[in-house]
Amino acid sequence: MKFSFRPTEGAFYELFTRAAQNLVKGTELLNELGLPDVDVQSVSERLTEVEHDSDQITHDLYKKINSTFITPFDREDIYRLGSLLDDVMDHLEAVGNLLYLYGLTKLPSLPRELHELVNVLDQQAKLTAEAMPRLRSMKDLEDYWIECNRLENDGDQAYRMLLVRLFSGEYDALTVLKMKEVADELEAACDAFEHVANTVETIAVKES
């Protein structure tokens, strides 16, 4: 394997930024599920395409770590951040796929609390995409991880209220089981965004 002895910092930051931009694409696609007459299959397929692109970005990042002698910051932190960004995308794709495969969008309407969770994810995605380029200077990042953690708390609240709704007797048992799986993926995505923010905080503290 050919090694580079000069720090190719720009490549790492570009890959992080691209990965985060894909998360914005993912949450925007989930938001389409709230539109009337939405083509759910199309949303699911486009989410899968974005997820595949994110997988390639993660693969490129790992190759860059292994072929670079001097990294801009700790290579374990680079690996962890890349892996966590990929985890978020996996959860977003799972939400779209499950809603389509389970036929849940054929319900008269999806629970309002589900849309609230997607809205939280959309805010977290945009915050994350705005923060990634700032890793280069390690400046103006504190507001990002504080707000991302606050949004995760909002997501937890929406998730709990969604569970209350699901177990209220409004839906039949099979629908509840299906919707609960979707809810769990949404909540996992919120948590994964928080893990990304916590990792950024750890990196910033180390580099300060």
Side-chain angles (χ1 to χ4, degrees):
M1 180 181 292
K2 184 179 179 181
F3 282 84
S4 170
F5 287 87
R6 298 179 63 188
T8 54
E9 295 187 3
F12 289 105
Y13 300 126
E14 179 185 347
L15 289 168
F16 288 138
T17 298
R18 284 172 54 201
Q21 288 170 344
N22 270 354
L23 299 181
V24 175
K25 292 178 184 177
T27 57
E28 286 177 346
L29 284 168
L30 289 183
N31 269 320
E32 287 187 23
L33 295 171
L35 300 175
D37 302 320
V38 62
D39 184 341
V40 184
Q41 181 177 355
S42 171
V43 171
S44 178
E45 290 173 349
R46 282 180 284 154
L47 269 168
T48 297
E49 290 173 3
V50 176
E51 193 275 333
H52 287 168
D53 186 53
S54 291
D55 281 345
Q56 184 59 51
I57 291 169
T58 305
H59 179 68
D60 291 345
L61 179 69
Y62 293 166
K63 282 176 60 180
K64 181 62 65 177
I65 294 171
N66 293 329
S67 63
T68 303
F69 187 69
I70 302 173
T71 55
F73 49 89
D74 188 272
R75 63 183 63 238
E76 289 186 6
D77 288 332
I78 293 174
Y79 182 93
R80 176 168 173 75
L81 182 55
S83 177
L84 289 172
L85 287 165
D86 191 52
D87 286 347
V88 180
M89 191 66 240
D90 288 342
H91 292 303
L92 297 181
E93 183 202 19
V95 171
N97 286 350
L98 288 172
L99 285 169
Y100 168 60
L101 293 172
Y102 285 164
L104 291 170
T105 52
K106 295 177 183 176
L107 295 172
S109 65
L110 292 171
R112 171 178 52 82
E113 294 82 1
L114 187 148
H115 292 298
E116 289 176 357
L117 261 169
V118 172
N119 182 56
V120 169
L121 289 171
D122 191 51
Q123 293 178 69
Q124 287 181 305
K126 288 172 180 173
L127 272 175
T128 303
E130 291 168 359
M132 287 302 107
R134 300 203 293 272
L135 282 171
R136 188 185 295 267
S137 65
M138 293 294 171
K139 294 180 180 178
D140 304 317
L141 285 166
E142 185 175 359
D143 288 347
Y144 152 65
W145 65 67
I146 290 174
E147 179 63 8
C148 200
N149 290 339
R150 187 195 68 77
L151 285 167
E152 194 275 335
N153 291 332
D154 288 350
D156 280 346
Q157 179 65 20
Y159 172 72
R160 286 191 289 268
M161 296 309 296
L162 177 54
L163 294 186
V164 170
R165 178 86 173 269
L166 292 180
F167 295 112
S168 68
E170 180 179 348
Y171 302 98
D172 64 82
L174 184 56
T175 298
V176 170
L177 288 173
K178 293 175 179 178
M179 197 75 77
K180 172 66 163 55
E181 193 171 345
V182 173
D184 288 345
E185 288 291 348
L186 287 165
E187 200 258 346
C190 280
D191 287 346
F193 269 120
E194 183 182 36
H195 297 157
V196 169
N198 290 344
T199 298
V200 169
E201 180 179 10
T202 298
I203 293 169
V205 169
K206 284 183 180 180
E207 296 300 312
S208 62

